[in-house]
């Protein structure tokens, strides 16, 4: 068989491990999986989608099934501008918003627009695997800044900037972060914005989970605080459904224009059908009707997982307390290696994502990410019971109870 590996571009070797691929691959039958950050299918509004899709095909095929302008269908853009104002208290100018094929495409467009090989990008330690792989693939020099229970340590970033670090942008996920589930408090948001303004650093804010607070309340987005220095990537993957592959980027007009230009040489436009589905669903009040139930579902799953962790995990194990989204981050004793522990966990019938791939460099060996979106409350209890038994038996912990 012909071997084409010699022809692969250099960037194919820069993306980093197989982390995301193995998460997306799923788990063997019988294994209770807490891996993928996928929304629960029970939150998909299938009846309404059925009705809207039929109507679009019947009455709007010339738009919904056609290529669309690169920056998005005009009525969809108008809807998204209104929605930003309604949800985030600030109205972008039309030139400050572009429709994207999801959040991940926005990350890819930012790479195309801003990163030359060797350029510095700042990320949180740990951060979203897809973004780390994209930055690696763009041959960025990715610099990780420490986080604590309140997210990005702005003081640590301030030190690095004072020492001369000049990032092309600072990538942050302020709400229910992937992978830690943590949220950046208001005071730090103001500090981050002021710091970056002083250093003329662009902030790249990823709001993938923002619309899933357990209690319905949100802090101001970074973009709403500083639209002059923040590009926001939004997605309908968690609040609507990932199959729609739809999101937005909003930020300074000159950056948005370049993102739209970059989109001309990727997919040229987000799918028209998905754009019109979001618009019709949104204008009919679908998000307001359905999101409360999704938030309540994830809140009750978290309550069950949190209680199970408290009941079953041995001493020396800690976890974050998300206020929304569907991820928590577990820290095991120093001597446990969660990558090595994965096969024992699979054999015991439970799956998680090891923490190391979410880090730049060799960190986080004793951490792991749990998603509580899919399993039922009863399954979460069983999954944690199994995981706790695996942790107790992990090499380095034997005999320690
Ligand atoms: C923080 C974060 N950003 C972006 C994405 C990608 O979103 P999309 O499905 O819209 O490409 C995800 C998906 O898991 C995510 O967790």
């Amino acid at each position: 068989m012909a071997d084409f590996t010699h022809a692969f571009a250099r960037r194919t070797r820069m993306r980093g491990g197989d982390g995301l691929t193995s998460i997306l691959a799923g788990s063997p039958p019988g294994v209770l999986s807490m891996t993928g950050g996928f929304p629960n299918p029970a939150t998909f509004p299938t009846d309404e989608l059925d009705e809207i899709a039929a109507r679009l095909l019947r009455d709007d095929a010339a738009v919904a099934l056609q290529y669309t302008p690169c920056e998005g269908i005009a009525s969809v853009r108008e809807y998204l501008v209104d929605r930003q104002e309604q949800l985030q208290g600030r109205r972008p100018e039309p030139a400050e918003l572009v429709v994207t094929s999801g959040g991940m495409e926005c990350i890819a467009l930012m790479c195309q627009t801003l990163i030359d090989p060797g350029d510095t990008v700042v990320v949180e330690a740990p951060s979203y695997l897809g973004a780390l792989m994209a930055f690696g693939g763009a041959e960025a020099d990715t610099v990780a800044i420490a986080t604590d229970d309140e997210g990005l340590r702005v003081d640590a970033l301030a030190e690095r900037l004072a020492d001369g670090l000049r990032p092309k942008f600072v990538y942050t996920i302020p709400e229910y972060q992937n992978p830690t589930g943590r949220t950046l408090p208001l005071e730090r948001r103001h500090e981050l914005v002021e710091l970056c303004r002083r250093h003329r650093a662009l902030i790249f804010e990823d709001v993938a989970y923002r619309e899933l607070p357990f209690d319905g309340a949100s802090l101001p987005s970074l973009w709403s605080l500083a639209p002059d220095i923040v590009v926001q990537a939004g997605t309908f993957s968690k609040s609507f459904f990932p199959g729609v592959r739809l999101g937005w980027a909003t930020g300074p007009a000159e950056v948005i224009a370049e993102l739209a230009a970059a989109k001309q040489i990727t997919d040229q436009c987000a799918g028209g059908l998905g754009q019109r589905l979001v618009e019709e669903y949104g204008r009919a009040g679908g998000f307001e009707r359905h999101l409360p139930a999704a938030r309540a579902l994830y809140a009750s799953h978290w309550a069950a997982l949190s209680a199970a962790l408290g009941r079953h995990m041995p001493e020396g194990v800690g976890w974050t307390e998300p206020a929304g989204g569907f991820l928590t981050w577990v820290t095991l004793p120093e001597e446990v290696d969660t990558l090595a522990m994965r096969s024992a966990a699979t054999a015991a019938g439970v799956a998680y994502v090891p923490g190391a791939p979410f880090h730049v460099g060799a960190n986080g060996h004793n951490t792991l990410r749990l998603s509580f979106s899919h399993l039922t409350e009863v399954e979460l209890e069983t999954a944690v019971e199994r995981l706790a038994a695996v942790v107790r038996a992990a090499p380095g912990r034997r005999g320690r109870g």
Side-chain angles (χ1 to χ4, degrees):
M1 207 161 79
D3 178 4
F4 294 107
T5 50
H6 67 279
F8 292 167
R10 191 177 42 163
R11 76 179 72 86
T12 62
R13 295 185 290 280
M14 309 294 287
R15 293 190 196 114
D18 66 341
L20 197 54
T21 316
S22 75
I23 293 171
L24 294 173
S27 304
V31 171
L32 293 174
S33 175
M34 296 183 282
T35 55
F38 299 2
N40 191 310
T43 67
F44 300 159
T46 46
D47 288 348
E48 269 168 73
L49 286 173
D50 190 22
E51 184 277 313
I52 297 171
R55 182 155 41 84
L56 288 175
L57 294 182
R58 193 178 60 234
D59 302 336
D60 196 40
V63 173
L65 302 190
Q66 189 52 278
Y67 286 113
T68 88
C70 183
E71 63 278 8
I73 296 170
S75 63
V76 176
R77 286 162 48 72
E78 276 162 29
Y79 167 66
L80 292 180
V81 164
D82 289 346
R83 191 167 193 269
Q84 286 295 97
E85 184 175 25
Q86 183 204 338
L87 294 183
Q88 298 185 33
R90 181 179 283 277
R91 188 176 182 82
E93 293 298 322
E96 292 173 341
L97 184 138
V98 60
V99 177
T100 66
S101 301
M104 196 57 219
E105 194 210 10
C106 191
I107 293 170
L109 296 176
M110 286 291 282
C111 290
Q112 293 225 21
T113 298
L114 288 152
I115 302 176
D116 288 316
D119 281 349
T120 300
V121 168
V122 161
V123 299
E124 293 156 340
S127 187
Y128 169 47
L129 197 45
L132 294 183
M133 290 169 75
F135 301 152
E139 301 181 50
D141 176 18
T142 307
V143 173
I145 301 293
T147 57
D148 60 16
D149 272 346
E150 302 195 319
L152 183 70
R153 289 248 329 260
V154 180
D155 61 330
L157 176 61
E159 268 176 37
R160 296 299 300 270
L161 293 177
D163 286 348
L165 189 74
R166 290 290 168 265
K168 280 294 181 76
F169 54 76
V170 175
Y171 174 71
T172 177
I173 308 162
E175 291 93 19
Y176 330 124
Q177 195 241 23
N178 186 356
T180 64
R182 291 171 180 144
T183 295
L184 194 71
L186 184 60
E187 200 181 329
R188 278 203 193 171
R189 290 176 192 237
H190 284 294
E191 286 166 7
L192 178 60
V193 159
E194 271 164 39
L195 176 71
C196 289
R197 225 182 234 139
R198 216 170 335 119
H199 287 272
R200 295 165 187 263
L202 188 64
I203 297 173
F204 182 23
E205 172 187 42
D206 184 336
V207 294
Y209 296 88
R210 180 177 167 81
E211 291 176 36
L212 294 176
F214 296 152
D215 65 1
S218 302
L219 292 171
S221 68
L222 295 171
W223 168 76
S224 74
L225 294 175
D228 53 326
I229 57 157
V230 178
V231 174
Q232 176 181 96
T235 175
F236 289 100
S237 286
K238 318 292 175 178
S239 57
F240 195 33
F241 64 102
V244 74
R245 306 309 302 137
L246 207 76
W248 67 89
T250 185
E254 68 271 23
V255 182
I256 296 300
E258 283 300 331
L259 298 184
K263 195 168 169 57
Q264 289 281 8
I265 52 165
T266 54
D267 64 356
Q268 295 195 332
C269 65
L273 185 57
Q275 293 188 50
R276 291 286 290 119
L277 273 176
V278 165
E279 182 192 352
E280 290 296 306
Y281 179 76
R283 286 194 193 278
F287 292 108
E288 289 81 0
R289 256 194 318 282
H290 285 277
L291 276 175
R295 291 174 186 138
L297 178 89
Y298 296 132
S300 68
H301 281 202
W302 167 241
L305 176 59
S306 165
L309 288 166
R311 251 193 309 277
H312 299 296
M313 278 297 171
E315 199 143 317
V317 177
W319 52 90
T320 58
E321 302 274 343
F326 37 71
L327 303 170
T328 184
W329 184 247
V330 178
T331 303
L332 302 179
E334 201 37 47
E335 63 272 18
V336 179
D337 180 339
T338 57
L339 259 175
M341 196 177 77
R342 204 153 69 129
S343 50
T346 309
V350 61
Y352 59 83
V353 187
F358 296 95
H359 284 273
V360 178
N363 287 311
H365 70 277
N366 60 327
T367 55
L368 57 88
R369 191 191 77 175
L370 298 181
S371 165
F372 48 89
S373 62
H374 262 72
L375 297 184
T376 63
E377 293 169 31
V378 173
E379 287 170 333
L380 284 166
E381 168 81 21
T382 310
V384 171
E385 222 176 323
R386 291 177 184 175
L387 183 59
V390 174
V391 170
R392 279 203 181 81
R397 281 193 56 82
R398 257 183 247 288
R400 297 187 48 185

